[in-house]
Amino acid sequence: MFAYIFRRLLLMIPTLIGVVTLTFAVTQFVPGGPVEQMMTQLKHGSTRGGEGGTSGGGGYHASQGLDPKQVEEIKKQFGFDKPPLTRYVMMLKDYATFNLGNSYYQHASVWSVIVSKLPVSITLGLWTLVLTYVISVPLGIAKAVRAGSRFDTVTSVLVLAGYAIPGFVLGVLLLMLFGGGTFWQVFPMRGLTSDNFDDLTVIGKVLDYLWHIVLPVTASVVGNFAIITILTKNTFLEEIGRQYVLTARAKGAPERDVLWKHVFRNATIPLLTGLPTAFIGAFLNGSLLIETLFSLDGMGLLSYDSVIRRDYPVVLGSLYLFTLIGLVTKLIADVCYVLVDPRIQFNSLDR
Protein backbone atom coordinates (compact mmCIF):
# COMPACT_ATOMS: atom_id res chain seq x y z
CA MET A 1 0.00 0.00 0.00
CA PHE A 2 2.76 2.47 0.91
CA ALA A 3 4.56 1.83 -2.38
CA TYR A 4 1.35 2.60 -4.30
CA ILE A 5 0.75 5.81 -2.32
CA PHE A 6 4.35 6.89 -2.86
CA ARG A 7 4.07 6.34 -6.62
CA ARG A 8 0.86 8.31 -6.77
CA LEU A 9 2.42 11.18 -4.83
CA LEU A 10 5.34 11.27 -7.25
CA LEU A 11 2.95 11.35 -10.21
CA MET A 12 1.24 14.41 -8.74
CA ILE A 13 4.36 16.52 -9.32
CA PRO A 14 4.39 16.38 -13.15
CA THR A 15 0.60 16.74 -13.19
CA LEU A 16 0.75 19.92 -11.13
CA ILE A 17 3.62 21.31 -13.19
CA GLY A 18 1.75 20.53 -16.40
CA VAL A 19 -1.44 22.27 -15.25
CA VAL A 20 0.39 25.34 -13.96
CA THR A 21 2.63 25.53 -17.04
CA LEU A 22 -0.27 25.37 -19.46
CA THR A 23 -2.22 28.02 -17.57
CA PHE A 24 0.84 30.27 -17.26
CA ALA A 25 1.50 29.98 -21.00
CA VAL A 26 -2.11 30.87 -21.82
CA THR A 27 -2.00 33.96 -19.61
CA GLN A 28 0.98 35.26 -21.58
CA PHE A 29 -1.07 35.50 -24.77
CA VAL A 30 -4.43 36.62 -23.40
CA PRO A 31 -5.06 40.21 -24.49
CA GLY A 32 -5.83 42.94 -21.99
CA GLY A 33 -3.46 41.90 -19.22
CA PRO A 34 -3.04 43.88 -15.97
CA VAL A 35 -0.28 46.05 -17.41
CA GLU A 36 -2.36 46.99 -20.47
CA GLN A 37 -5.41 47.64 -18.28
CA MET A 38 -3.48 49.95 -15.96
CA MET A 39 -1.91 51.85 -18.85
CA THR A 40 -5.31 52.26 -20.49
CA GLN A 41 -6.79 53.60 -17.26
CA LEU A 42 -3.97 56.11 -16.86
CA LYS A 43 -4.21 57.15 -20.48
CA HIS A 44 -7.96 57.69 -20.27
CA GLY A 45 -7.53 59.53 -17.01
CA SER A 46 -5.01 61.88 -18.56
CA THR A 47 -7.22 62.45 -21.62
CA ARG A 48 -10.42 62.59 -19.54
CA GLY A 49 -11.86 59.53 -21.24
CA GLY A 50 -11.83 61.07 -24.71
CA GLU A 51 -9.64 58.63 -26.59
CA GLY A 52 -11.46 55.38 -27.11
CA GLY A 53 -12.34 52.44 -24.92
CA THR A 54 -10.41 49.67 -23.22
CA SER A 55 -7.29 48.18 -24.65
CA GLY A 56 -7.71 45.33 -27.04
CA GLY A 57 -4.59 43.71 -25.66
CA GLY A 58 -1.82 45.56 -27.45
CA GLY A 59 0.67 46.99 -25.00
CA TYR A 60 1.99 49.30 -27.73
CA HIS A 61 -1.33 51.04 -28.29
CA ALA A 62 -2.10 51.22 -24.58
CA SER A 63 1.28 52.81 -23.82
CA GLN A 64 0.94 55.58 -26.41
CA GLY A 65 0.93 58.96 -24.72
CA LEU A 66 2.48 57.70 -21.46
CA ASP A 67 5.90 58.42 -20.02
CA PRO A 68 8.19 55.41 -20.71
CA LYS A 69 9.39 55.55 -17.11
CA GLN A 70 5.80 55.33 -15.94
CA VAL A 71 5.26 52.32 -18.20
CA GLU A 72 8.31 50.62 -16.70
CA GLU A 73 7.04 51.33 -13.19
CA ILE A 74 3.71 49.70 -14.05
CA LYS A 75 5.45 46.63 -15.44
CA LYS A 76 7.61 46.43 -12.32
CA GLN A 77 4.54 46.78 -10.10
CA PHE A 78 2.96 43.69 -11.65
CA GLY A 79 6.24 41.80 -12.06
CA PHE A 80 6.23 42.00 -15.85
CA ASP A 81 9.61 43.71 -15.98
CA LYS A 82 11.21 40.25 -16.01
CA PRO A 83 11.23 37.79 -18.94
CA PRO A 84 8.42 35.18 -18.98
CA LEU A 85 10.82 32.30 -18.31
CA THR A 86 12.22 34.05 -15.23
CA ARG A 87 8.73 34.72 -13.90
CA TYR A 88 7.76 31.11 -14.57
CA VAL A 89 10.72 29.73 -12.64
CA MET A 90 10.09 32.12 -9.76
CA MET A 91 6.45 31.03 -9.68
CA LEU A 92 7.38 27.34 -9.50
CA LYS A 93 9.79 28.03 -6.63
CA ASP A 94 7.11 29.93 -4.73
CA TYR A 95 4.49 27.24 -5.33
CA ALA A 96 6.89 24.59 -4.07
CA THR A 97 6.74 26.34 -0.68
CA PHE A 98 2.99 27.08 -1.02
CA ASN A 99 3.61 30.78 -1.47
CA LEU A 100 0.77 31.70 -3.82
CA GLY A 101 1.72 35.36 -4.09
CA ASN A 102 -0.44 38.47 -3.74
CA SER A 103 -3.51 39.61 -5.62
CA TYR A 104 -2.97 42.45 -8.08
CA TYR A 105 -6.11 44.32 -7.11
CA GLN A 106 -7.27 43.17 -3.66
CA HIS A 107 -4.07 44.17 -1.82
CA ALA A 108 -3.94 40.85 0.03
CA SER A 109 -2.29 37.47 -0.32
CA VAL A 110 -3.96 34.88 -2.52
CA TRP A 111 -4.31 32.66 0.54
CA SER A 112 -6.29 35.28 2.44
CA VAL A 113 -8.45 36.05 -0.60
CA ILE A 114 -9.37 32.37 -1.03
CA VAL A 115 -10.00 31.87 2.68
CA SER A 116 -12.28 34.92 2.78
CA LYS A 117 -14.47 33.43 0.02
CA LEU A 118 -14.65 29.88 1.37
CA PRO A 119 -17.49 30.35 3.93
CA VAL A 120 -20.04 30.95 1.16
CA SER A 121 -18.83 28.04 -0.94
CA ILE A 122 -18.63 25.78 2.12
CA THR A 123 -22.19 26.70 3.05
CA LEU A 124 -23.58 25.92 -0.38
CA GLY A 125 -21.40 22.89 -1.01
CA LEU A 126 -21.63 21.20 2.38
CA TRP A 127 -25.39 21.59 2.71
CA THR A 128 -25.78 20.36 -0.87
CA LEU A 129 -23.64 17.31 -0.11
CA VAL A 130 -25.44 16.44 3.14
CA LEU A 131 -28.94 16.89 1.76
CA THR A 132 -28.09 15.02 -1.44
CA TYR A 133 -26.90 11.92 0.42
CA VAL A 134 -29.53 12.08 3.17
CA ILE A 135 -32.37 12.22 0.64
CA SER A 136 -30.98 10.38 -2.39
CA VAL A 137 -29.60 7.24 -0.72
CA PRO A 138 -32.84 6.27 1.11
CA LEU A 139 -34.83 7.21 -1.99
CA GLY A 140 -32.59 5.07 -4.21
CA ILE A 141 -32.97 2.09 -1.84
CA ALA A 142 -36.74 2.49 -1.81
CA LYS A 143 -36.78 2.65 -5.62
CA ALA A 144 -34.67 -0.51 -5.87
CA VAL A 145 -36.94 -2.43 -3.49
CA ARG A 146 -40.02 -1.22 -5.39
CA ALA A 147 -38.49 -1.38 -8.88
CA GLY A 148 -41.11 -1.15 -11.60
CA SER A 149 -43.84 0.12 -9.28
CA ARG A 150 -45.77 3.37 -9.61
CA PHE A 151 -43.61 4.83 -6.81
CA ASP A 152 -40.47 4.05 -8.82
CA THR A 153 -41.89 5.66 -11.95
CA VAL A 154 -43.17 8.82 -10.26
CA THR A 155 -39.97 9.44 -8.29
CA SER A 156 -37.87 8.86 -11.42
CA VAL A 157 -39.86 11.52 -13.26
CA LEU A 158 -39.45 13.96 -10.35
CA VAL A 159 -35.70 13.54 -9.87
CA LEU A 160 -35.02 13.68 -13.61
CA ALA A 161 -37.16 16.81 -13.90
CA GLY A 162 -35.11 18.37 -11.11
CA TYR A 163 -31.92 17.33 -12.89
CA ALA A 164 -33.12 18.92 -16.14
CA ILE A 165 -33.93 22.28 -14.55
CA PRO A 166 -30.80 24.49 -14.29
CA GLY A 167 -30.08 25.67 -10.77
CA PHE A 168 -30.11 29.31 -11.89
CA VAL A 169 -33.58 28.97 -13.42
CA LEU A 170 -34.86 27.28 -10.28
CA GLY A 171 -33.30 30.03 -8.20
CA VAL A 172 -35.12 32.72 -10.20
CA LEU A 173 -38.38 30.82 -9.76
CA LEU A 174 -37.83 30.51 -6.00
CA LEU A 175 -37.09 34.22 -5.70
CA MET A 176 -40.24 35.05 -7.63
CA LEU A 177 -42.37 32.80 -5.43
CA PHE A 178 -40.83 33.16 -1.97
CA GLY A 179 -38.32 36.03 -2.11
CA GLY A 180 -40.76 38.86 -2.58
CA GLY A 181 -40.22 39.02 -6.32
CA THR A 182 -43.87 38.53 -7.31
CA PHE A 183 -45.80 36.58 -4.70
CA TRP A 184 -44.69 36.02 -1.08
CA GLN A 185 -41.92 37.57 0.98
CA VAL A 186 -41.00 34.48 3.00
CA PHE A 187 -37.20 34.25 2.67
CA PRO A 188 -34.52 36.95 2.23
CA MET A 189 -33.25 37.63 -1.26
CA ARG A 190 -29.53 38.03 -0.57
CA GLY A 191 -26.67 37.29 1.82
CA LEU A 192 -26.08 34.61 4.43
CA THR A 193 -27.03 36.70 7.45
CA SER A 194 -29.14 39.73 8.36
CA ASP A 195 -27.72 43.18 9.08
CA ASN A 196 -28.39 42.77 12.82
CA PHE A 197 -26.78 39.32 12.96
CA ASP A 198 -24.23 40.32 15.62
CA ASP A 199 -26.99 41.52 17.95
CA LEU A 200 -28.91 38.23 17.88
CA THR A 201 -28.72 35.45 20.46
CA VAL A 202 -27.01 32.16 19.62
CA ILE A 203 -30.31 30.51 18.71
CA GLY A 204 -31.32 33.62 16.80
CA LYS A 205 -28.08 33.51 14.79
CA VAL A 206 -28.61 29.85 13.90
CA LEU A 207 -32.20 30.47 12.82
CA ASP A 208 -31.18 33.56 10.86
CA TYR A 209 -28.45 31.63 9.07
CA LEU A 210 -30.79 28.74 8.22
CA TRP A 211 -33.45 31.20 7.10
CA HIS A 212 -31.04 32.79 4.63
CA ILE A 213 -29.69 29.59 3.07
CA VAL A 214 -33.03 27.93 2.26
CA LEU A 215 -33.41 29.36 -1.24
CA PRO A 216 -29.78 29.16 -2.49
CA VAL A 217 -29.28 25.64 -1.09
CA THR A 218 -32.57 24.48 -2.59
CA ALA A 219 -31.56 25.88 -5.98
CA SER A 220 -28.19 24.10 -5.72
CA VAL A 221 -29.30 20.73 -4.36
CA VAL A 222 -32.31 19.78 -6.48
CA GLY A 223 -30.26 19.08 -9.58
CA ASN A 224 -27.94 16.71 -7.67
CA PHE A 225 -30.61 14.28 -6.52
CA ALA A 226 -30.83 12.33 -9.77
CA ILE A 227 -27.21 11.12 -9.95
CA ILE A 228 -26.94 9.69 -6.43
CA THR A 229 -30.52 8.35 -6.49
CA ILE A 230 -30.06 6.45 -9.76
CA LEU A 231 -26.60 5.24 -8.73
CA THR A 232 -27.98 3.90 -5.44
CA LYS A 233 -30.91 2.23 -7.15
CA ASN A 234 -28.77 0.54 -9.81
CA THR A 235 -26.15 -0.73 -7.35
CA PHE A 236 -28.84 -2.14 -5.06
CA LEU A 237 -30.61 -3.81 -7.98
CA GLU A 238 -27.32 -5.33 -9.12
CA GLU A 239 -26.59 -6.70 -5.66
CA ILE A 240 -30.13 -7.98 -5.17
CA GLY A 241 -29.74 -10.15 -8.26
CA ARG A 242 -26.50 -11.78 -7.14
CA GLN A 243 -26.19 -15.41 -6.12
CA TYR A 244 -25.47 -14.79 -2.44
CA VAL A 245 -28.80 -12.98 -2.09
CA LEU A 246 -30.66 -15.90 -3.69
CA THR A 247 -28.82 -18.27 -1.37
CA ALA A 248 -29.71 -16.22 1.72
CA ARG A 249 -33.34 -16.17 0.69
CA ALA A 250 -33.31 -19.90 -0.01
CA LYS A 251 -32.04 -20.51 3.52
CA GLY A 252 -35.06 -18.67 4.87
CA ALA A 253 -33.37 -15.46 5.96
CA PRO A 254 -35.85 -12.64 6.58
CA GLU A 255 -36.05 -10.17 3.70
CA ARG A 256 -35.10 -7.32 6.05
CA ASP A 257 -31.89 -9.10 7.08
CA VAL A 258 -31.06 -9.91 3.47
CA LEU A 259 -31.48 -6.26 2.49
CA TRP A 260 -29.67 -4.56 5.36
CA LYS A 261 -27.06 -7.14 6.42
CA HIS A 262 -25.98 -8.38 3.00
CA VAL A 263 -27.09 -6.11 0.16
CA PHE A 264 -26.63 -2.77 1.93
CA ARG A 265 -22.98 -3.34 2.85
CA ASN A 266 -21.93 -4.24 -0.69
CA ALA A 267 -24.17 -1.79 -2.51
CA THR A 268 -22.91 1.23 -0.59
CA ILE A 269 -19.27 0.66 -1.55
CA PRO A 270 -19.42 2.99 -4.62
CA LEU A 271 -21.16 5.64 -2.51
CA LEU A 272 -18.65 5.44 0.34
CA THR A 273 -15.62 5.54 -1.94
CA GLY A 274 -16.99 8.56 -3.76
CA LEU A 275 -17.68 10.43 -0.52
CA PRO A 276 -14.14 11.89 -0.05
CA THR A 277 -14.22 13.46 -3.50
CA ALA A 278 -17.73 14.78 -2.96
CA PHE A 279 -16.79 16.07 0.50
CA ILE A 280 -13.77 18.03 -0.72
CA GLY A 281 -15.66 19.19 -3.78
CA ALA A 282 -18.30 20.63 -1.48
CA PHE A 283 -15.70 23.02 -0.06
CA LEU A 284 -14.18 24.05 -3.38
CA ASN A 285 -17.00 24.19 -5.87
CA GLY A 286 -18.47 27.58 -6.53
CA SER A 287 -21.60 28.24 -8.53
CA LEU A 288 -21.21 31.61 -10.22
CA LEU A 289 -24.85 31.90 -11.26
CA ILE A 290 -26.25 30.91 -7.85
CA GLU A 291 -23.86 33.23 -6.03
CA THR A 292 -24.68 36.10 -8.37
CA LEU A 293 -28.42 35.52 -8.14
CA PHE A 294 -28.47 35.49 -4.33
CA SER A 295 -25.69 38.12 -3.88
CA LEU A 296 -23.25 35.66 -2.30
CA ASP A 297 -19.53 36.41 -2.52
CA GLY A 298 -17.94 32.96 -2.88
CA MET A 299 -15.41 31.03 -4.94
CA GLY A 300 -17.51 31.08 -8.09
CA LEU A 301 -17.64 34.86 -8.18
CA LEU A 302 -13.97 35.10 -7.21
CA SER A 303 -12.90 32.85 -10.09
CA TYR A 304 -14.96 34.81 -12.59
CA ASP A 305 -13.75 38.22 -11.39
CA SER A 306 -10.13 37.05 -11.34
CA VAL A 307 -10.30 35.93 -14.96
CA ILE A 308 -12.11 39.06 -16.14
CA ARG A 309 -9.75 41.42 -14.29
CA ARG A 310 -6.68 39.34 -15.29
CA ASP A 311 -5.73 38.87 -11.64
CA TYR A 312 -3.21 36.19 -12.59
CA PRO A 313 -1.88 35.39 -9.08
CA VAL A 314 -5.40 34.51 -7.93
CA VAL A 315 -6.14 32.53 -11.11
CA LEU A 316 -2.90 30.55 -11.04
CA GLY A 317 -2.73 30.19 -7.25
CA SER A 318 -6.29 28.92 -6.82
CA LEU A 319 -5.90 26.57 -9.78
CA TYR A 320 -2.68 25.15 -8.34
CA LEU A 321 -4.19 24.72 -4.87
CA PHE A 322 -7.43 23.13 -6.04
CA THR A 323 -5.63 20.83 -8.48
CA LEU A 324 -3.40 19.61 -5.66
CA ILE A 325 -6.38 19.06 -3.36
CA GLY A 326 -8.20 17.23 -6.15
CA LEU A 327 -5.26 14.88 -6.75
CA VAL A 328 -4.88 14.12 -3.05
CA THR A 329 -8.62 13.54 -2.75
CA LYS A 330 -8.55 11.09 -5.66
CA LEU A 331 -5.77 9.19 -3.90
CA ILE A 332 -7.78 9.10 -0.66
CA ALA A 333 -10.80 7.80 -2.60
CA ASP A 334 -8.72 4.98 -4.09
CA VAL A 335 -7.35 4.03 -0.67
CA CYS A 336 -10.88 4.05 0.79
CA TYR A 337 -12.05 1.82 -2.04
CA VAL A 338 -9.45 -0.79 -1.18
CA LEU A 339 -10.11 -0.54 2.55
CA VAL A 340 -13.87 -0.89 2.11
CA ASP A 341 -13.71 -3.69 -0.46
CA PRO A 342 -10.94 -6.22 0.34
CA ARG A 343 -11.46 -7.85 -3.07
CA ILE A 344 -9.69 -4.89 -4.68
CA GLN A 345 -5.90 -4.86 -4.59
CA PHE A 346 -3.65 -1.83 -5.01
CA ASN A 347 -1.90 -3.43 -7.96
CA SER A 348 -5.18 -3.49 -9.88
CA LEU A 349 -5.59 0.28 -9.45
CA ASP A 350 -2.43 0.91 -11.47
CA ARG A 351 -3.91 -0.71 -14.56
Side-chain angles (χ1 to χ4, degrees):
M1 179 177 75
F2 293 104
Y4 171 79
I5 295 176
F6 181 71
R7 289 197 302 271
R8 288 288 299 273
L9 291 175
L10 289 180
L11 287 174
M12 291 180 188
I13 298 176
T15 303
L16 283 171
I17 294 177
V19 170
V20 172
T21 301
L22 180 60
T23 309
F24 179 84
V26 170
T27 59
Q28 304 308 302
F29 301 99
V30 175
V35 174
E36 287 80 3
Q37 290 185 13
M38 180 63 71
M39 290 190 296
T40 302
Q41 291 176 6
L42 293 176
K43 178 183 176 183
H44 287 174
S46 63
T47 58
R48 297 182 182 180
E51 297 186 17
T54 59
S55 170
Y60 171 75
H61 296 288
S63 62
Q64 288 182 344
L66 294 179
D67 185 354
K69 293 183 178 180
Q70 191 176 24
V71 173
E72 291 300 321
E73 287 295 327
I74 295 174
K75 291 182 178 180
K76 185 177 181 180
Q77 175 184 348
F78 292 104
F80 282 83
D81 56 328
K82 303 178 180 64
L85 182 60
T86 302
R87 288 187 280 114
Y88 171 73
V89 173
M90 293 174 58
M91 181 188 67
L92 290 183
K93 291 181 179 179
D94 289 338
Y95 284 5
T97 58
F98 295 98
N99 178 15
L100 303 183
N102 297 315
S103 170
Y104 287 156
Y105 305 105
Q106 303 196 41
H107 307 292
S109 67
V110 175
W111 275 107
S112 61
V113 171
I114 293 175
V115 170
S116 67
K117 308 300 182 181
L118 279 180
V120 170
S121 297
I122 290 174
T123 293
L124 291 178
L126 192 56
W127 278 108
T128 299
L129 173 69
V130 171
L131 291 177
T132 298
Y133 272 80
V134 167
I135 295 175
S136 297
V137 172
L139 180 59
I141 296 174
K143 288 172 62 65
V145 174
R146 300 174 177 84
S149 66
R150 180 177 298 179
F151 171 81
D152 183 27
T153 303
V154 172
T155 52
S156 294
V157 172
L158 292 177
V159 297
L160 291 177
Y163 182 74
I165 299 176
F168 180 77
V169 175
L170 180 59
V172 173
L173 179 62
L174 291 174
L175 283 177
M176 291 177 57
L177 292 176
F178 306 109
T182 304
F183 295 94
W184 305 284
Q185 177 68 55
V186 180
F187 300 101
M189 297 181 62
R190 59 179 60 88
L192 290 179
T193 57
S194 300
D195 294 336
N196 63 336
F197 181 79
D198 294 334
D199 300 329
L200 300 176
T201 63
V202 175
I203 297 178
K205 290 181 178 180
V206 172
L207 294 177
D208 182 74
Y209 167 75
L210 294 176
W211 182 49
H212 277 76
I213 67 173
V214 169
L215 295 186
V217 169
T218 301
S220 300
V221 76
V222 170
N224 295 326
F225 286 150
I227 298 176
I228 302 299
T229 300
I230 300 302
L231 175 62
T232 303
K233 175 189 174 182
N234 291 340
T235 53
F236 266 79
L237 285 177
E238 182 180 356
E239 292 298 325
I240 289 174
R242 292 189 180 276
Q243 185 63 41
Y244 73 88
V245 175
L246 300 177
T247 302
R249 287 172 173 170
K251 290 182 178 180
E255 187 66 21
R256 185 180 184 86
D257 291 344
V258 172
L259 180 63
W260 296 107
K261 292 184 179 180
H262 300 284
V263 175
F264 183 80
R265 183 178 62 180
N266 293 323
T268 53
I269 289 177
L271 301 175
L272 293 175
T273 55
L275 192 58
T277 303
F279 183 77
I280 297 299
F283 288 85
L284 304 183
N285 290 337
S287 176
L288 170 63
L289 296 179
I290 296 296
E291 292 177 8
T292 302
L293 181 63
F294 293 96
S295 300
L296 302 174
D297 191 9
M299 290 302 304
L301 199 58
L302 173 65
S303 301
Y304 175 77
D305 287 341
S306 300
V307 172
I308 294 299
R309 301 178 67 183
R310 305 297 193 266
D311 197 347
Y312 294 146
V314 177
V315 174
L316 291 166
S318 58
L319 180 65
Y320 166 79
L321 179 62
F322 296 159
T323 301
L324 176 61
I325 294 176
L327 292 172
V328 173
T329 303
K330 184 62 171 63
L331 174 60
I332 294 175
D334 289 344
V335 173
C336 291
Y337 193 79
V338 175
L339 296 178
V340 173
D341 190 353
R343 296 171 297 180
I344 304 298
Q345 300 297 322
F346 280 102
N347 291 336
S348 63
L349 296 176
D350 289 328
R351 299 172 184 172

